[in-house]
Amino acid sequence: ASGGPLHDIVVPLADGRRTGFLAASASEYADAMREAFALPADLAREMRQAARESCVERFSQELFERRIGELLREPLRGVGAE
């Protein structure tokens, strides 16, 4: 289950690269948008790449299939062992 953007979606990568912006109010959203639009092209590109990597690592179809398989198999462990 997701804790939402603040807890597990818009978080830095393990190497510390930033993946996006967080905001909780209209003024914070405005500030974040100003900051995002003011980023130099190379830094904006790096942030986009980090965000893509984060998504692929944590939300890919392959990962979903592996995790759902594990969850579905777990209740079956030991069934018929009696």
Side-chain angles (χ1 to χ4, degrees):
S2 174
L6 183 60
H7 298 286
D8 64 1
I9 296 176
V10 183
V11 294
L13 294 179
D15 63 9
R17 287 183 293 156
R18 193 171 176 187
T19 60
F21 296 88
L22 290 170
S25 68
S27 64
E28 287 178 9
Y29 277 103
D31 290 342
M33 290 181 72
R34 270 192 290 278
E35 185 179 347
F37 290 134
L39 284 174
D42 59 331
L43 293 180
R45 193 172 23 261
E46 288 174 18
M47 187 180 294
R48 286 193 305 270
Q49 182 61 36
R52 280 188 203 97
E53 289 175 27
S54 175
C55 287
V56 168
E57 289 172 8
R58 297 178 307 134
F59 304 111
S60 70
Q61 183 68 29
E62 179 183 331
L63 182 61
F64 173 79
E65 289 172 4
R66 183 166 30 93
R67 287 185 177 162
I68 197 75
E70 292 168 357
L71 290 170
L72 293 173
R73 281 190 294 276
E74 186 60 34
L76 299 176
R77 294 191 202 289
V79 170
E82 289 109 33

Coordinates of all heavy atoms in Angstrom, one line a residue:
A1 N 0.8 -1.2 0.0 CA 0.0 0.0 0.0 C 0.9 1.2 0.0 O 2.0 1.3 0.6 CB -0.9 0.0 1.2
S2 N 0.4 2.2 -0.6 CA 1.2 3.5 -0.7 C 0.8 4.4 0.4 O -0.3 4.5 0.8 CB 0.9 4.2 -2.1 OG 1.5 5.4 -2.1
G3 N 1.8 5.1 0.9 CA 1.6 6.1 1.9 C 1.4 7.4 1.3 O 1.3 8.4 2.0
G4 N 1.4 7.5 0.0 CA 1.2 8.8 -0.7 C 2.5 9.4 -1.1 O 3.6 8.9 -0.8
P5 N 2.4 10.5 -1.8 CA 3.6 11.1 -2.4 C 4.7 11.5 -1.3 O 5.9 11.4 -1.5 CB 3.1 12.4 -3.1 CG 1.6 12.4 -3.0 CD 1.2 11.2 -2.2
L6 N 4.2 11.9 -0.2 CA 5.2 12.4 0.8 C 6.0 11.3 1.4 O 7.1 11.4 1.7 CB 4.4 13.1 2.0 CG 5.2 13.7 3.1 CD1 6.2 14.7 2.6 CD2 4.3 14.3 4.2
H7 N 5.4 10.1 1.5 CA 6.1 8.9 2.1 C 6.8 8.0 1.2 O 7.8 7.4 1.6 CB 5.1 8.2 2.9 CG 4.5 9.0 4.0 ND1 5.1 9.3 5.2 CD2 3.3 9.6 4.1 CE1 4.4 10.1 5.9 NE2 3.2 10.3 5.3
D8 N 6.3 7.8 0.0 CA 7.0 6.8 -0.8 C 7.0 7.0 -2.3 O 7.4 6.2 -3.1 CB 6.5 5.4 -0.5 CG 5.1 5.2 -0.9 OD1 4.4 6.1 -1.4 OD2 4.6 4.1 -0.6
I9 N 6.5 8.1 -2.8 CA 6.4 8.3 -4.3 C 7.5 9.4 -4.7 O 8.4 9.1 -5.5 CB 5.0 8.7 -4.8 CG1 4.1 7.5 -4.5 CG2 5.1 9.0 -6.2 CD1 2.7 7.7 -4.8
V10 N 7.4 10.6 -4.2 CA 8.3 11.6 -4.5 C 9.4 11.7 -3.4 O 9.4 12.5 -2.5 CB 7.6 13.0 -4.6 CG1 8.6 14.1 -5.1 CG2 6.5 12.9 -5.6
V11 N 10.3 10.7 -3.5 CA 11.4 10.6 -2.5 C 12.7 10.5 -3.3 O 12.7 10.0 -4.5 CB 11.2 9.3 -1.6 CG1 10.0 9.5 -0.8 CG2 11.1 8.1 -2.5
P12 N 13.8 10.9 -2.7 CA 15.1 10.9 -3.4 C 15.5 9.4 -3.7 O 15.1 8.5 -2.9 CB 16.0 11.5 -2.4 CG 15.2 12.3 -1.5 CD 13.9 11.6 -1.4
L13 N 16.3 9.2 -4.7 CA 16.8 7.9 -4.9 C 17.8 7.5 -3.9 O 18.3 8.4 -3.1 CB 17.5 7.8 -6.3 CG 16.5 8.0 -7.5 CD1 17.3 7.9 -8.8 CD2 15.5 6.9 -7.5
A14 N 18.2 6.3 -3.8 CA 19.2 5.9 -2.8 C 20.5 6.7 -2.9 O 21.2 6.9 -1.9 CB 19.5 4.4 -3.0
D15 N 20.9 7.1 -4.1 CA 22.1 7.9 -4.3 C 21.9 9.4 -4.0 O 22.8 10.2 -4.2 CB 22.7 7.7 -5.7 CG 21.8 8.2 -6.8 OD1 20.7 8.8 -6.5 OD2 22.1 7.9 -8.0
G16 N 20.6 9.8 -3.5 CA 20.4 11.1 -3.2 C 19.8 12.0 -4.3 O 19.4 13.2 -4.0
R17 N 19.7 11.5 -5.5 CA 19.2 12.3 -6.6 C 17.7 12.6 -6.3 O 16.9 11.7 -5.9 CB 19.3 11.6 -7.9 CG 20.8 11.7 -8.4 CD 20.9 11.0 -9.8 NE 20.6 9.6 -9.7 CZ 20.2 8.9 -10.7 NH1 20.0 9.4 -11.9 NH2 19.9 7.6 -10.5
R18 N 17.3 13.8 -6.6 CA 15.9 14.3 -6.3 C 15.0 13.9 -7.5 O 15.4 13.9 -8.6 CB 16.0 15.9 -6.3 CG 14.8 16.5 -5.8 CD 15.0 18.0 -5.6 NE 13.8 18.6 -5.2 CZ 13.7 19.9 -5.1 NH1 14.7 20.7 -5.3 NH2 12.5 20.5 -4.7
T19 N 13.8 13.5 -7.1 CA 12.9 12.9 -8.1 C 11.7 13.9 -8.4 O 10.8 13.5 -9.2 CB 12.3 11.6 -7.7 OG1 11.7 11.7 -6.4 CG2 13.5 10.5 -7.6
G20 N 11.6 15.0 -7.7 CA 10.4 15.8 -7.9 C 10.3 16.8 -6.8 O 11.2 17.1 -6.0
F21 N 9.1 17.4 -6.7 CA 8.7 18.4 -5.7 C 7.5 18.0 -4.9 O 6.6 17.3 -5.4 CB 8.4 19.7 -6.4 CG 9.5 20.3 -7.2 CD1 9.8 19.9 -8.5 CD2 10.4 21.2 -6.6 CE1 10.8 20.5 -9.3 CE2 11.5 21.7 -7.4 CZ 11.7 21.4 -8.7
L22 N 7.5 18.4 -3.7 CA 6.3 18.2 -2.8 C 5.8 19.5 -2.4 O 6.5 20.5 -2.2 CB 6.7 17.4 -1.6 CG 7.1 15.9 -1.8 CD1 7.7 15.3 -0.6 CD2 5.8 15.1 -2.3
A23 N 4.5 19.6 -2.2 CA 3.8 20.8 -1.7 C 2.6 20.4 -0.9 O 1.9 19.4 -1.2 CB 3.5 21.7 -2.8
A24 N 2.2 21.2 0.1 CA 1.0 20.9 0.9 C -0.1 22.0 0.8 O -1.2 21.9 1.3 CB 1.4 20.6 2.3
S25 N 0.3 23.2 0.2 CA -0.6 24.3 0.2 C -0.5 25.0 -1.2 O 0.5 24.7 -1.9 CB -0.3 25.3 1.3 OG 1.0 25.9 1.0
A26 N -1.4 25.8 -1.5 CA -1.4 26.5 -2.7 C -0.1 27.3 -2.9 O 0.5 27.3 -4.0 CB -2.6 27.5 -2.9
S27 N 0.3 28.0 -1.9 CA 1.6 28.8 -2.0 C 2.8 27.9 -2.1 O 3.7 28.2 -2.9 CB 1.7 29.7 -0.8 OG 1.9 29.0 0.4
E28 N 2.8 26.7 -1.5 CA 3.9 25.8 -1.7 C 3.9 25.2 -3.1 O 5.0 25.0 -3.7 CB 3.8 24.6 -0.7 CG 4.2 25.0 0.7 CD 4.1 23.9 1.7 OE1 3.9 22.7 1.3 OE2 4.2 24.2 2.9
Y29 N 2.7 24.9 -3.6 CA 2.6 24.5 -5.0 C 3.2 25.6 -6.0 O 3.9 25.3 -6.9 CB 1.2 24.1 -5.4 CG 0.8 22.7 -5.0 CD1 0.0 22.5 -3.9 CD2 1.3 21.6 -5.8 CE1 -0.3 21.2 -3.6 CE2 1.0 20.3 -5.4 CZ 0.1 20.1 -4.3 OH -0.2 18.9 -3.9
A30 N 2.8 26.8 -5.7 CA 3.3 27.9 -6.6 C 4.8 28.0 -6.5 O 5.5 28.2 -7.5 CB 2.6 29.2 -6.1
D31 N 5.4 27.9 -5.3 CA 6.8 28.0 -5.1 C 7.5 26.8 -5.8 O 8.5 27.0 -6.5 CB 7.2 28.0 -3.6 CG 6.8 29.2 -2.9 OD1 6.6 30.3 -3.5 OD2 6.7 29.2 -1.6
A32 N 6.9 25.6 -5.7 CA 7.5 24.4 -6.3 C 7.5 24.6 -7.9 O 8.5 24.3 -8.5 CB 6.8 23.2 -5.9
M33 N 6.4 25.1 -8.4 CA 6.3 25.3 -9.8 C 7.3 26.4 -10.3 O 8.0 26.2 -11.3 CB 4.9 25.7 -10.2 CG 3.9 24.5 -10.1 SD 2.3 24.9 -10.6 CE 2.5 25.0 -12.3
R34 N 7.5 27.4 -9.6 CA 8.5 28.5 -9.9 C 9.8 27.8 -9.9 O 10.6 28.1 -10.8 CB 8.4 29.6 -8.9 CG 7.5 30.7 -9.3 CD 7.7 32.0 -8.4 NE 7.2 31.8 -7.1 CZ 6.0 31.9 -6.7 NH1 5.0 32.2 -7.5 NH2 5.7 31.7 -5.4
E35 N 10.1 27.0 -8.9 CA 11.4 26.4 -8.8 C 11.7 25.4 -10.0 O 12.7 25.4 -10.6 CB 11.6 25.7 -7.5 CG 13.0 25.1 -7.3 CD 13.1 24.4 -6.0 OE1 12.3 24.5 -5.1 OE2 14.1 23.6 -5.8
A36 N 10.6 24.6 -10.3 CA 10.7 23.7 -11.4 C 11.0 24.4 -12.7 O 11.8 24.0 -13.5 CB 9.5 22.8 -11.4
F37 N 10.2 25.4 -13.0 CA 10.4 26.1 -14.3 C 11.7 26.9 -14.4 O 12.1 27.2 -15.5 CB 9.2 27.1 -14.5 CG 7.9 26.4 -14.8 CD1 6.7 26.7 -14.1 CD2 7.8 25.3 -15.6 CE1 5.5 26.1 -14.3 CE2 6.6 24.6 -15.9 CZ 5.5 25.0 -15.2
A38 N 12.3 27.2 -13.2 CA 13.5 27.9 -13.2 C 14.8 27.0 -13.3 O 15.9 27.5 -13.4 CB 13.6 28.8 -12.0
L39 N 14.6 25.7 -13.2 CA 15.7 24.8 -13.2 C 16.5 24.9 -14.5 O 15.8 25.0 -15.6 CB 15.3 23.4 -13.0 CG 14.9 22.9 -11.6 CD1 14.3 21.5 -11.7 CD2 16.1 22.9 -10.7
P40 N 17.8 24.9 -14.5 CA 18.5 24.8 -15.7 C 18.2 23.5 -16.4 O 17.8 22.5 -15.8 CB 20.0 24.8 -15.3 CG 20.0 25.4 -13.9 CD 18.6 25.0 -13.3
A41 N 18.2 23.5 -17.7 CA 17.8 22.4 -18.5 C 18.5 21.1 -18.1 O 17.9 20.0 -18.0 CB 18.1 22.6 -20.0
D42 N 19.8 21.1 -17.8 CA 20.5 19.9 -17.4 C 20.0 19.4 -16.1 O 19.8 18.2 -15.9 CB 22.0 20.1 -17.4 CG 22.5 21.2 -16.4 OD1 21.7 22.2 -16.2 OD2 23.6 21.1 -15.9
L43 N 19.7 20.2 -15.1 CA 19.2 19.8 -13.8 C 17.8 19.2 -14.0 O 17.4 18.2 -13.3 CB 19.3 20.9 -12.8 CG 20.7 21.3 -12.4 CD1 20.6 22.5 -11.4 CD2 21.5 20.2 -11.9
A44 N 17.0 19.9 -14.8 CA 15.6 19.4 -15.0 C 15.6 18.0 -15.7 O 14.9 17.1 -15.3 CB 14.8 20.4 -15.9
R45 N 16.5 17.8 -16.6 CA 16.7 16.5 -17.3 C 17.1 15.5 -16.3 O 16.6 14.3 -16.3 CB 17.7 16.7 -18.5 CG 17.7 15.5 -19.4 CD 18.6 15.8 -20.7 NE 19.6 16.8 -20.5 CZ 19.5 18.1 -21.0 NH1 18.4 18.5 -21.5 NH2 20.5 18.9 -20.8
E46 N 18.1 15.8 -15.4 CA 18.5 14.9 -14.4 C 17.4 14.5 -13.5 O 17.3 13.3 -13.1 CB 19.7 15.5 -13.6 CG 21.0 15.6 -14.4 CD 22.1 16.3 -13.6 OE1 22.0 16.4 -12.4 OE2 23.0 16.7 -14.3
M47 N 16.6 15.4 -13.1 CA 15.5 15.1 -12.2 C 14.4 14.2 -12.9 O 13.9 13.3 -12.3 CB 14.8 16.4 -11.7 CG 13.7 16.1 -10.6 SD 12.9 17.5 -9.9 CE 14.2 18.4 -9.1
R48 N 14.1 14.5 -14.1 CA 13.2 13.7 -14.9 C 13.8 12.2 -15.0 O 13.0 11.3 -14.8 CB 12.9 14.2 -16.3 CG 12.1 15.5 -16.3 CD 11.6 15.8 -17.7 NE 12.6 16.0 -18.6 CZ 13.3 17.2 -18.9 NH1 12.9 18.2 -18.2 NH2 14.2 17.3 -19.8
Q49 N 15.0 12.1 -15.3 CA 15.7 10.8 -15.4 C 15.6 10.0 -14.0 O 15.3 8.9 -14.0 CB 17.1 10.9 -15.9 CG 17.8 9.6 -16.0 CD 17.1 8.7 -17.1 OE1 16.6 9.2 -18.1 NE2 17.1 7.4 -16.8
A50 N 15.9 10.7 -13.0 CA 15.8 10.1 -11.6 C 14.4 9.7 -11.3 O 14.2 8.6 -10.8 CB 16.3 11.1 -10.6
A51 N 13.4 10.5 -11.7 CA 12.0 10.1 -11.4 C 11.6 8.9 -12.3 O 10.9 8.0 -11.8 CB 11.1 11.3 -11.8
R52 N 12.1 8.8 -13.5 CA 11.8 7.6 -14.3 C 12.4 6.4 -13.7 O 11.8 5.3 -13.7 CB 12.3 7.8 -15.8 CG 11.5 8.7 -16.6 CD 12.0 8.7 -18.1 NE 11.5 9.9 -18.7 CZ 12.2 11.0 -18.9 NH1 13.4 11.1 -18.4 NH2 11.6 12.0 -19.5
E53 N 13.7 6.5 -13.3 CA 14.3 5.4 -12.7 C 13.6 4.9 -11.5 O 13.4 3.7 -11.2 CB 15.8 5.7 -12.3 CG 16.7 5.9 -13.5 CD 18.1 6.3 -13.1 OE1 18.5 6.1 -12.0 OE2 18.7 7.0 -14.0
S54 N 13.2 5.8 -10.7 CA 12.4 5.5 -9.4 C 11.2 4.7 -9.8 O 10.8 3.7 -9.1 CB 12.1 6.8 -8.7 OG 11.3 6.5 -7.6
C55 N 10.4 5.2 -10.8 CA 9.2 4.6 -11.2 C 9.4 3.2 -11.7 O 8.7 2.2 -11.3 CB 8.4 5.4 -12.2 SG 7.7 6.9 -11.5
V56 N 10.4 3.0 -12.5 CA 10.7 1.7 -13.1 C 11.1 0.7 -12.0 O 10.7 -0.4 -12.0 CB 11.8 1.8 -14.2 CG1 12.3 0.4 -14.6 CG2 11.2 2.5 -15.4
E57 N 11.9 1.2 -11.1 CA 12.4 0.3 -10.0 C 11.3 -0.1 -9.0 O 11.3 -1.2 -8.5 CB 13.5 1.0 -9.2 CG 14.8 1.2 -9.9 CD 15.8 2.0 -9.2 OE1 15.5 2.4 -8.0 OE2 16.8 2.4 -9.7
R58 N 10.3 0.8 -8.8 CA 9.3 0.5 -7.8 C 7.9 0.2 -8.3 O 7.1 -0.4 -7.6 CB 9.2 1.7 -6.8 CG 10.6 2.0 -6.1 CD 10.6 3.1 -5.2 NE 10.2 4.4 -5.9 CZ 9.3 5.2 -5.3 NH1 8.8 5.0 -4.2 NH2 9.0 6.3 -6.0
F59 N 7.6 0.5 -9.5 CA 6.3 0.4 -10.0 C 6.2 -0.4 -11.4 O 5.1 -0.3 -12.0 CB 5.5 1.7 -10.1 CG 5.6 2.5 -8.8 CD1 6.3 3.7 -8.7 CD2 4.8 2.1 -7.8 CE1 6.3 4.4 -7.6 CE2 4.8 2.8 -6.6 CZ 5.6 3.9 -6.5
S60 N 7.2 -1.1 -11.8 CA 7.2 -1.7 -13.1 C 6.2 -2.9 -13.1 O 5.9 -3.5 -12.0 CB 8.6 -2.2 -13.5 OG 8.9 -3.3 -12.6
Q61 N 5.8 -3.3 -14.3 CA 4.9 -4.5 -14.4 C 5.6 -5.7 -13.9 O 5.0 -6.5 -13.2 CB 4.5 -4.6 -15.9 CG 3.6 -5.8 -16.2 CD 2.2 -5.5 -15.6 OE1 1.8 -4.4 -15.5 NE2 1.5 -6.6 -15.3
E62 N 6.9 -5.9 -14.2 CA 7.6 -7.0 -13.7 C 7.6 -7.1 -12.2 O 7.4 -8.2 -11.6 CB 9.1 -7.0 -14.3 CG 9.9 -8.1 -13.8 CD 11.3 -8.0 -14.3 OE1 11.6 -7.4 -15.4 OE2 12.2 -8.5 -13.6
L63 N 7.9 -6.0 -11.6 CA 7.9 -6.0 -10.1 C 6.5 -6.3 -9.5 O 6.3 -7.1 -8.6 CB 8.4 -4.6 -9.6 CG 8.5 -4.5 -8.1 CD1 9.5 -5.5 -7.5 CD2 8.9 -3.1 -7.8
F64 N 5.5 -5.7 -10.2 CA 4.1 -5.9 -9.7 C 3.8 -7.4 -9.8 O 3.2 -8.0 -8.9 CB 3.1 -5.1 -10.6 CG 1.7 -5.4 -10.3 CD1 1.0 -5.0 -9.2 CD2 1.0 -6.3 -11.1 CE1 -0.3 -5.3 -8.9 CE2 -0.3 -6.6 -10.9 CZ -1.0 -6.1 -9.8
E65 N 4.1 -8.0 -10.9 CA 3.8 -9.5 -11.1 C 4.5 -10.3 -10.1 O 3.9 -11.3 -9.6 CB 4.2 -9.9 -12.6 CG 3.2 -9.3 -13.6 CD 3.7 -9.5 -15.0 OE1 4.7 -10.2 -15.2 OE2 3.0 -9.0 -15.9
R66 N 5.8 -10.0 -9.9 CA 6.5 -10.8 -8.9 C 5.9 -10.6 -7.5 O 5.7 -11.6 -6.8 CB 8.0 -10.3 -8.9 CG 8.8 -11.2 -7.9 CD 10.3 -11.0 -8.1 NE 10.8 -9.8 -8.6 CZ 11.2 -8.7 -7.8 NH1 11.2 -8.9 -6.5 NH2 11.6 -7.6 -8.3
R67 N 5.6 -9.4 -7.1 CA 5.0 -9.2 -5.8 C 3.7 -9.8 -5.6 O 3.3 -10.4 -4.6 CB 5.0 -7.7 -5.4 CG 6.4 -7.2 -5.2 CD 6.3 -5.7 -4.7 NE 7.7 -5.2 -4.4 CZ 8.0 -4.0 -4.3 NH1 7.1 -3.0 -4.5 NH2 9.2 -3.6 -4.0
I68 N 2.8 -9.6 -6.6 CA 1.5 -10.2 -6.5 C 1.5 -11.7 -6.5 O 0.8 -12.4 -5.7 CB 0.5 -9.7 -7.6 CG1 -0.9 -9.9 -7.3 CG2 0.8 -10.4 -9.0 CD1 -1.5 -9.0 -6.3
G69 N 2.5 -12.3 -7.2 CA 2.7 -13.8 -7.2 C 3.1 -14.2 -5.8 O 2.6 -15.2 -5.3
E70 N 4.0 -13.5 -5.2 CA 4.4 -13.8 -3.8 C 3.2 -13.7 -2.8 O 3.0 -14.6 -2.0 CB 5.5 -12.9 -3.4 CG 6.8 -13.1 -4.1 CD 7.8 -12.0 -3.9 OE1 7.5 -11.0 -3.2 OE2 8.9 -12.1 -4.4
L71 N 2.4 -12.7 -3.0 CA 1.3 -12.5 -2.1 C 0.2 -13.6 -2.3 O -0.4 -14.0 -1.3 CB 0.7 -11.1 -2.3 CG 1.5 -9.9 -1.8 CD1 0.9 -8.6 -2.3 CD2 1.6 -9.9 -0.3
L72 N 0.0 -14.0 -3.5 CA -1.0 -15.0 -3.8 C -0.5 -16.4 -3.4 O -1.3 -17.2 -2.9 CB -1.3 -15.0 -5.3 CG -2.1 -13.8 -5.7 CD1 -2.3 -13.8 -7.2 CD2 -3.4 -13.6 -5.0
R73 N 0.8 -16.7 -3.4 CA 1.3 -18.0 -3.0 C 1.4 -18.1 -1.5 O 1.3 -19.2 -1.0 CB 2.7 -18.2 -3.6 CG 2.7 -18.6 -5.1 CD 4.1 -19.0 -5.6 NE 5.0 -17.9 -5.6 CZ 5.2 -17.0 -6.6 NH1 4.4 -17.1 -7.6 NH2 6.0 -16.0 -6.5
E74 N 1.6 -17.0 -0.8 CA 1.8 -17.1 0.6 C 0.7 -17.9 1.3 O 1.0 -18.7 2.2 CB 2.0 -15.7 1.2 CG 2.3 -15.7 2.7 CD 3.6 -16.4 3.0 OE1 4.6 -16.3 2.2 OE2 3.7 -17.0 4.1
P75 N -0.6 -17.6 1.1 CA -1.6 -18.3 1.8 C -1.7 -19.8 1.5 O -2.2 -20.6 2.2 CB -2.9 -17.6 1.3 CG -2.5 -16.3 0.8 CD -1.1 -16.5 0.3
L76 N -1.1 -20.1 0.3 CA -1.1 -21.6 -0.1 C 0.0 -22.4 0.5 O 0.0 -23.6 0.4 CB -1.0 -21.6 -1.6 CG -2.2 -21.0 -2.3 CD1 -2.0 -21.0 -3.8 CD2 -3.5 -21.6 -2.0
R77 N 1.0 -21.7 1.1 CA 2.1 -22.5 1.7 C 1.6 -23.3 2.8 O 0.9 -22.9 3.7 CB 3.2 -21.5 2.2 CG 3.9 -20.7 1.1 CD 5.1 -20.0 1.7 NE 5.5 -18.9 0.9 CZ 6.0 -18.9 -0.3 NH1 6.2 -20.1 -0.9 NH2 6.4 -17.8 -0.9
G78 N 1.9 -24.5 2.8 CA 1.5 -25.5 3.9 C 0.1 -26.1 3.6 O -0.3 -26.9 4.4
V79 N -0.6 -25.6 2.6 CA -1.9 -26.2 2.3 C -1.7 -27.6 1.9 O -0.9 -27.9 1.0 CB -2.7 -25.4 1.3 CG1 -4.0 -26.1 0.8 CG2 -3.1 -24.0 1.8
G80 N -2.4 -28.6 2.5 CA -2.3 -30.0 2.1 C -1.1 -30.7 2.8 O -0.9 -31.8 2.6
A81 N -0.5 -29.9 3.7 CA 0.7 -30.5 4.4 C 0.2 -31.2 5.7 O 0.9 -31.9 6.3 CB 1.7 -29.4 4.8
E82 N -1.1 -31.1 6.0 CA -1.6 -31.7 7.2 C -1.8 -33.2 7.0 O -2.0 -33.8 6.0 CB -3.0 -31.1 7.6 CG -2.9 -29.7 8.1 CD -3.4 -28.7 7.1 OE1 -4.4 -29.0 6.4 OE2 -2.8 -27.6 7.1

